[in-house]
Amino acid sequence: MSDPVNAPFRRILENVRQAFPQPVSDRKHDAYVAFTVLRALDELDRRKSNLPTLGLPEPVNHGNATDARIAADPLPLEDVTAQLAEFLDGMFLWGHPRSQVNVVPPASVASVIAVLLAAIYNPNLVSEESSLRVASSEVETAAMVADLVGFDPERAAGFFTFGGTGATLYGVKLGLEKALPGSREHGITEKAVLVSSGQSHYARLSVAGWLGLGEENAIQVRTRLDNAIDLEALESCLRKLLEEGRRIACIIATAGTTDAFGIDNVGAIVEMRDRLAEEYRLDYRPHVHADAVIGWAWSVFKDYDFERNELGFRPRTVRALAKACHDLKGLDRADSIGVDFHKTGFCPYISTLFLTRDAGDLVLLTRGREKMPYLYQTGEYHPGLWTLETSRSAAGPLAAWANLKLLGKNGLRALLGHLVEMAEVLREELEGRAPTTVLNGNNVGTVTLFRVYPDGIDTFTVKERERNDPAYRDKLCEHNDYNRKIFELVHADAMAGHGVLISMTDCYRHSTYGEPINALKSYILSPFADEENVRALVDNVIAARPRVF
């Protein structure tokens, strides 16, 4: 007969228990946990240098990863944390002043602690009964953002989801239920479309495919040179669709495109939607979702006095901030918006808020409690009734709440103002050099798209020729190849510790004759970036030119 007290598993269990935060106060063990976390941070800290990466990046061999197998016996916690740190070897440091890679910010200490607390105590936001007061962080954050963008906080409602694609999916799904009532329950019984600009995020295709609309029913409308949707083209497109009897599930307005920070006129789009709905006597109102995952943060300047300029931004920066604020002024008229705190909110992944101007819209997504008999027995807040996800981490809303409290309007203003100021310096430097030209010159955000040219190219006229002259096709392709080589050289220099880390887009936009135009991309989101880092990038790019063959 076995001895349950002295059974071998009991010894293993006792060791494993020490690898968990203790459920009752145990200061000695708490110190051990804190020390273990600090050791892991020390492992990473010793990898820091002047490089914009953790240690030296090496080629990743994912083929070897398939050899991994689970061992029979547990490893000591210290061994596991040391091995965990190895996974971050070569990882980009988004906060490094020489990191201008993409729209990924460093996370604040407050938001990191928020994620840590969520990880330790593991609330599930499916319902108040599994998250208790933690759920209030989601409600409070939604209310703060609603007020910030101009929604009525008492009428609006929001919840966190799995990224900007998730926010767009919810917006289109609400629109689909309005255009084709009952489709959630009975399925899509007739074709519907979603309409967005040609510069909108490719998430529109993912959403159209996953919702059963079909990618071919994600209609694209041309944009102006400032990358905002062409309103005349949009109206022409909507009229054609309505005259064909098509149901318009959603119009996606982009408030800050990923590549060039183009801002659609949301207010004008809503006015157009209302006017056409009346004219065509629609029995529904097409939903307008604002993909504001990047641009939402500029709402902190909505009530900033640009004339007084109390924070002391440079005149060129003030102009850029005021222009962005002006272009975003219709954001409050959208039916719903998406907000990424892990972009311009300086939070860890994933922290995305879907916000609807009218909480009543969520009824269109709500399932009956009888379909989920083992949930919602206590409490009053049950977002799982309408969310796609059942399990939802509290890390996103806690991190977002922490940063809104930590930074306030002026903290965010200072951060965004500084980043825009550095981007303005970069654009000024690029325009002042003969071989370089800025593609998104009307841009007022923190992203700069630019191209570099060999000797003998007139950079005052080349952009126009590349965009509009079919006879220049071969030269455009040649210049695309040239910029690709420049990028590879600059990237290699940065990874070796001698330059600034940037990224590239294969298609900033298409020429009028169908060729993609690529671009080098600087996305400044590090609070530590300064003018010397900006000028270093331009110097790196110029220095790479003689090495292109």
Side-chain angles (χ1 to χ4, degrees):
M1 184 175 177
S2 63
D3 180 358
V5 175
N6 297 310
F9 87 88
R10 297 293 304 188
R11 292 193 298 274
I12 297 173
L13 179 63
E14 286 305 312
N15 286 331
V16 168
R17 281 176 171 170
Q18 297 305 304
F20 287 81
Q22 299 301 289
V24 296
S25 180
D26 185 333
R27 288 181 175 269
K28 182 177 179 181
H29 192 273
D30 287 348
Y32 166 66
V33 172
F35 180 69
T36 304
V37 172
L38 288 174
R39 285 187 63 178
L41 293 176
D42 282 343
E43 280 287 319
L44 298 174
D45 190 67
R46 67 182 180 82
R47 289 166 164 82
K48 292 179 182 177
S49 65
N50 289 329
L51 290 171
T53 59
L54 285 171
L56 287 171
E58 297 179 1
V60 180
N61 187 347
H62 293 296
N64 291 342
T66 60
D67 296 333
R69 302 291 184 272
I70 185 170
D73 294 317
L75 274 179
L77 177 59
E78 293 77 9
D79 291 356
V80 174
T81 54
Q83 291 183 34
L84 277 172
E86 292 176 6
F87 280 111
L88 278 80
D89 280 335
M91 179 66 198
F92 298 141
L93 287 167
W94 309 116
H96 196 284
R98 289 196 280 124
S99 181
Q100 301 174 24
V101 183
N102 217 324
V103 58
V104 187
S108 74
V109 174
S111 66
V112 170
I113 291 173
V115 171
L116 176 63
L117 295 179
I120 292 175
Y121 294 101
N122 215 20
N124 181 0
L125 287 180
V126 65
S127 169
E128 181 185 316
E129 65 187 357
S130 53
S131 57
L132 297 176
R133 192 180 169 194
V134 175
S136 293
S137 68
E138 181 167 65
V139 180
E140 289 187 18
T141 302
M144 284 190 279
V145 175
D147 180 64
L148 193 64
V149 302
F151 286 180
D152 179 355
E154 298 296 326
R155 184 183 172 197
F159 50 86
F160 281 71
T161 186
F162 58 89
T165 299
T168 298
L169 184 142
Y170 277 109
V172 176
K173 181 60 178 171
L174 281 178
L176 185 58
E177 291 298 324
K178 293 175 181 179
L180 297 175
S183 60
R184 176 175 59 84
E185 187 173 358
H186 305 297
I188 298 175
T189 55
E190 58 182 298
K191 282 190 175 181
V193 300
L194 63 90
V195 180
S196 63
S197 84
Q199 298 298 314
S200 62
H201 197 278
Y202 65 84
R204 65 183 183 274
L205 301 175
S206 302
V207 168
W210 282 83
L211 286 179
L213 293 170
E215 290 186 9
E216 66 181 20
N217 291 311
I219 311 298
Q220 295 183 54
V221 177
R222 71 170 182 260
T223 56
R224 306 188 311 250
L225 286 180
D226 64 357
N227 297 290
I229 196 166
D230 186 314
L231 292 173
E232 289 185 8
L234 174 61
E235 180 159 352
S236 177
C237 174
L238 294 177
R239 285 185 178 278
K240 183 175 183 293
L241 292 168
L242 292 172
E243 285 163 9
E244 291 173 353
R246 307 286 290 277
R247 310 286 282 189
I248 301 171
C250 188
I251 303 167
I252 300 173
T254 306
T257 60
T258 303
D259 261 354
F261 201 64
I263 301 172
D264 294 342
N265 189 331
V266 182
I269 291 172
V270 172
E271 288 176 6
M272 183 187 301
R273 183 273 313 268
D274 292 343
R275 176 165 45 81
L276 293 178
E278 294 297 328
E279 181 180 335
Y280 285 88
R281 298 183 179 179
L282 300 182
D283 58 358
Y284 70 102
R285 190 142 296 204
H287 189 88
V288 175
H289 175 74
D291 182 6
V293 292
I294 297 175
W296 71 273
W298 273 255
S299 296
V300 296
F301 290 102
K302 191 175 60 175
D303 55 357
Y304 183 72
D305 189 332
F306 290 106
E307 290 294 326
R308 294 179 62 190
N309 186 26
E310 290 183 344
L311 296 182
F313 299 117
R314 298 177 189 176
R316 184 165 172 163
T317 304
V318 169
R319 180 181 177 277
L321 295 172
K323 177 66 163 58
C325 197
H326 173 271
D327 291 348
L328 287 162
K329 67 181 179 181
L331 190 58
D332 62 332
R333 301 193 62 185
D335 296 311
S336 60
I337 68 171
V339 167
D340 274 358
F341 282 91
H342 56 255
K343 286 188 171 71
T344 45
F346 302 91
C347 287
Y349 282 107
I350 297 175
S351 187
T352 295
L353 173 68
F354 172 75
L355 189 67
T356 178
R357 187 158 51 88
D358 185 353
D361 278 355
L362 296 180
V363 172
L364 299 171
L365 306 180
T366 302
R367 297 176 293 274
R369 292 194 185 199
E370 70 280 359
K371 296 177 181 177
M372 300 160 283
Y374 47 85
L375 292 173
Y376 317 126
Q377 305 302 320
T378 62
E380 298 178 356
Y381 181 64
H382 307 302
L385 290 170
W386 55 77
T387 59
L388 171 65
E389 308 99 319
T390 299
S391 302
R392 280 195 310 123
S393 168
L398 281 174
W401 184 94
N403 269 5
L404 291 175
K405 292 290 186 177
L406 173 75
L407 298 171
K409 284 185 181 180
N410 277 336
L412 276 169
R413 286 168 178 166
L415 278 171
L416 292 174
H418 172 69
L419 299 176
V420 169
E421 196 157 275
M422 292 304 98
E424 290 288 340
V425 170
L426 174 60
R427 290 189 275 271
E428 194 172 67
E429 287 283 325
L430 289 168
E431 293 290 14
R433 305 289 185 103
T436 55
T437 189
V438 175
L439 297 181
N440 60 333
N442 292 324
N443 164 55
V444 290
T446 70
V447 58
T448 301
L449 298 178
F450 63 100
R451 275 163 77 85
V452 192
Y453 295 92
D455 291 338
I457 299 298
D458 180 359
T459 53
F460 288 100
T461 61
V462 68
K463 287 189 290 186
E464 181 67 22
R465 294 199 68 185
E466 286 181 333
R467 267 197 313 264
N468 298 315
D469 185 357
Y472 209 68
R473 184 190 302 267
D474 290 344
K475 274 293 185 183
L476 168 59
C477 294
E478 182 182 313
H479 294 159
N480 279 346
D481 183 58
Y482 183 83
N483 276 271
R484 165 61 63 181
K485 290 175 179 176
I486 289 285
F487 167 71
E488 290 169 354
L489 289 167
V490 170
H491 185 269
D493 287 347
M495 297 302 268
H498 309 308
V500 177
L501 199 60
I502 60 172
S503 56
M504 183 172 187
T505 177
D506 286 331
C507 184
Y508 150 64
R509 62 187 303 133
H510 284 93
S511 68
T512 56
Y513 46 92
E515 289 290 341
I517 304 172
N518 68 16
L520 304 180
K521 179 162 67 172
S522 160
Y523 223 125
I524 302 177
L525 275 182
S526 169
F528 301 99
D530 255 316
E531 292 189 28
E532 63 183 85
N533 311 119
V534 169
R535 295 193 172 97
L537 169 58
V538 182
D539 291 340
N540 296 157
V541 168
I542 299 299
R545 292 175 68 248
R547 294 185 281 154
V548 175
F549 296 100

